[in-house]
Amino acid sequence: MAQIAKASKSTQKKVAYQKKQEQGGKKVLEWIFGVLVVLAVLFVVYSIFIVS
């Protein structure tokens, strides 16, 4: 019975860690896409000034 409790506790820790990693990964992806969008806008503005 104690082994089952240990396995259950270990599984709960793994699931909690996995959720934490997933949330962190999503945050990193949001930052990356945000920076890419900002860079794209800056490039468009720069291109407009070069053409003018």
Side-chain angles (χ1 to χ4, degrees), residues 2-14:
Q3 288 178 340
I4 294 173
K6 272 188 176 180
S8 176
K9 197 173 193 180
S10 175
T11 303
Q12 288 174 349
K13 283 184 180 180
K14 285 180 185 177

Side-chain angles (χ1 to χ4, degrees), residues 12-41:
Q12 288 174 349
K13 283 184 180 180
K14 285 180 185 177
V15 169
Y17 179 74
Q18 192 174 16
K19 272 187 179 179
K20 186 177 178 182
Q21 288 292 98
E22 185 177 343
Q23 289 173 348
K26 284 182 181 179
K27 187 177 261 189
V28 169
L29 277 177
E30 288 173 0
W31 272 100
I32 290 172
F33 284 124
V35 168
L36 286 174
V37 168
V38 168
L39 288 174
V41 169

Side-chain angles (χ1 to χ4, degrees), residues 42-52:
L42 289 174
F43 180 72
V44 168
V45 170
Y46 172 75
S47 299
I48 290 170
F49 281 117
I50 291 297
V51 171
S52 295

